[in-house]
Amino acid sequence: TTRGMHRATPLLLCLCGLVSDVNSFSVSPALWNNAVLKGGETAGAVNRAVGFGSVGSHSRSVLRSRTGTCQVAMAEVETSKAEVLANELREELPQLFDINYTPKWDLYEEKVEFMDPLNKFEGIKKYRDNIQLLKDSPLFTGGKMDLHEVTVLDPSTVFTRWTLAMTFKAFPWKPRLLFTGTTKYTINPQSGLVTRHEDTWDSIDDNNPVSLEAVVDLVGQLSPIAPIAAAGVRTLKRAGEEAAPYSVLRRFKENVQVRRYEALDMVQTPRGQVYDRDSYNAANTLLLGYRGDALTAAENTAGRVLASTEPLLQFDSGKRDSSLAYVLPRGLGTGSPPTPKDGQLAVVSLPARDVAVY
């Protein structure tokens, strides 16, 4: 199968007259291939002309016209060019920034237009150079794209949603940049090639190049202030390891994020007993007692001091059932986690879910 030629929707080939009603019946390949078309052509010849070869046994249709009965058939036709591109993107984008992966440049027209909040240019060479700059260059490395959605909007438009991260290696602190957003691919309906690639970011309102908002966003992520401040806060909070693996689905202004957390195990305080500062502190003390630290013996059946982890979870449905939960660290080994000695606490498994973090 060549690109652009896939198993596809049926095409009704009317053999005569105007259609007034449709009835289905089965027909043998021989009958189909011998059906007489206008001008004396056979259905087999038509199939060969459009590149489909012979036709197997299929359910056929009979269309009755005002002038008589004409035979029609269900024939294989090309999948829409947009669907073909969507399938290519599903395969290509997750590995686009892998060092050893060669992108499929033949998906794009020579004069492809590119636009994002920081750039606007035309031509496949500049398009390739831009990808290579982000992929591996004196400025950037470690690019990774998480593809969340690929949707065909119409015969000439494909929409994608993604998260893109990369390391800016030119600075000693090597900041990790993170962007979430969408791409609108416009294609030539005849050739199926991309004529325009347009990116938007979730973190800004003005996505027209060159966007001052985009520049400020980028500079903010490059600045050493944010990581230093974050490290200081973590030290003051005596924060621990990040125990709950996640991926960022959306990143908004002021670094508000929508994260997809993987399934995890946690130790949870009683529901409905966190309702003010004092009760919050009491619940936090219960959790601290469970895991222990250098000054506090661990109140769990293993007598084992467990690592401090992030985030400390708070659950509240608005029905006065608020509680706190300590995320159990990864790498506890096989078997069940240590059981709390305090009967108020419970080990709970939490399925994967999307969470807003701010």
Side-chain angles (χ1 to χ4, degrees):
T1 302
T2 58
R3 181 179 301 160
M5 192 71 69
H6 293 264
R7 199 158 188 83
T9 55
L11 173 68
L12 294 178
L13 299 177
C14 184
L15 310 188
C16 62
L18 299 174
V19 176
S20 61
D21 67 287
V22 180
N23 294 302
S24 295
F25 76 111
S26 294
V27 66
S28 68
L31 177 59
W32 162 242
N33 285 325
N34 290 325
V36 178
L37 304 180
K38 290 182 179 180
E41 295 181 45
T42 67
V46 172
N47 282 327
R48 289 190 294 274
V50 297
F52 296 113
S54 63
V55 178
S57 180
H58 292 288
S59 175
R60 309 301 182 190
S61 297
V62 172
L63 304 188
R64 302 194 183 281
S65 72
R66 296 188 184 92
T67 58
T69 299
C70 66
Q71 294 182 330
V72 298
M74 308 291 284
E76 300 284 343
V77 298
E78 288 186 64
T79 299
S80 74
K81 298 296 194 299
E83 288 287 356
V84 173
L85 176 64
N87 290 332
E88 295 283 7
L89 294 175
R90 290 185 185 100
E91 177 185 341
E92 166 129 312
L93 295 182
Q95 55 187 333
L96 182 62
F97 293 95
D98 292 352
I99 297 298
N100 297 321
Y101 179 74
T102 301
K104 300 174 184 177
W105 304 120
D106 59 347
L107 296 176
Y108 306 89
E109 285 196 343
E110 282 295 323
K111 293 185 177 181
V112 60
E113 298 178 29
F114 175 87
M115 187 175 80
D116 73 6
L118 293 174
N119 296 283
K120 184 177 183 180
F121 54 78
E122 179 182 302
I124 189 63
K125 184 181 184 305
K126 291 182 178 180
Y127 191 90
R128 294 176 63 168
D129 291 345
N130 186 58
I131 296 295
Q132 187 60 42
L133 173 70
L134 301 178
K135 185 172 183 174
D136 187 39
S137 71
L139 296 180
F140 298 97
T141 191
K144 182 178 186 297
M145 176 174 282
D146 292 328
L147 185 63
H148 308 303
E149 178 185 350
V150 180
T151 304
V152 175
L153 298 183
D154 58 53
S156 62
T157 311
V158 177
F159 169 94
T160 65
R161 172 162 286 285
W162 42 261
T163 297
L164 176 62
M166 66 197 74
T167 298
F168 190 78
K169 64 183 181 182
F171 291 164
W173 56 93
K174 293 180 170 52
R176 188 71 174 165
L177 309 181
L178 180 70
F179 304 92
T180 68
T182 64
T183 300
K184 176 183 175 183
Y185 294 90
T186 303
I187 69 172
N188 181 323
Q190 281 70 48
S191 68
L193 299 180
V194 176
T195 61
R196 184 178 176 85
H197 171 140
E198 183 176 352
D199 288 345
T200 61
W201 297 357
D202 294 324
S203 56
I204 60 177
D205 294 323
D206 180 13
N207 276 279
N208 295 311
V210 172
S211 167
L212 179 59
E213 279 187 276
V215 173
V216 171
D217 187 347
L218 177 62
V219 171
Q221 294 194 65
L222 291 172
S223 169
I225 297 176
I228 291 174
V233 170
R234 287 174 62 85
T235 301
L236 290 172
K237 292 171 59 180
R238 293 184 297 173
E241 63 179 90
E242 177 63 67
Y246 67 88
S247 57
V248 178
L249 303 182
R250 305 283 289 271
R251 172 181 166 270
F252 298 102
K253 290 182 178 180
E254 301 178 1
N255 207 33
V256 175
Q257 297 181 358
V258 176
R259 298 178 179 177
R260 176 160 295 161
Y261 278 91
E262 298 178 14
L264 55 87
D265 292 326
M266 62 185 187
V267 175
Q268 189 172 17
T269 64
R271 294 180 180 274
Q273 294 189 20
V274 178
Y275 44 83
D276 58 16
R277 178 176 295 180
D278 290 340
S279 59
Y280 180 95
N281 290 336
N284 200 17
T285 300
L286 274 178
L287 296 175
L288 175 59
Y290 166 79
R291 66 176 179 81
D293 62 14
L295 301 176
T296 308
E299 292 295 320
N300 59 61
T301 52
R304 177 180 175 183
V305 174
L306 304 176
S308 173
T309 61
E310 287 189 328
L312 177 65
L313 302 178
Q314 181 168 3
F315 296 86
D316 190 343
S317 68
K319 298 179 181 179
R320 298 184 179 181
D321 57 355
S322 185
S323 63
L324 295 185
Y326 159 70
V327 178
L328 288 163
R330 291 171 286 174
L332 283 178
T334 58
S336 302
T339 302
K341 288 185 177 180
D342 192 319
Q344 298 181 81
L345 299 176
V347 177
V348 179
S349 293
L350 192 68
R353 63 178 56 195
D354 296 343
V355 178
V357 178
Y358 54 92

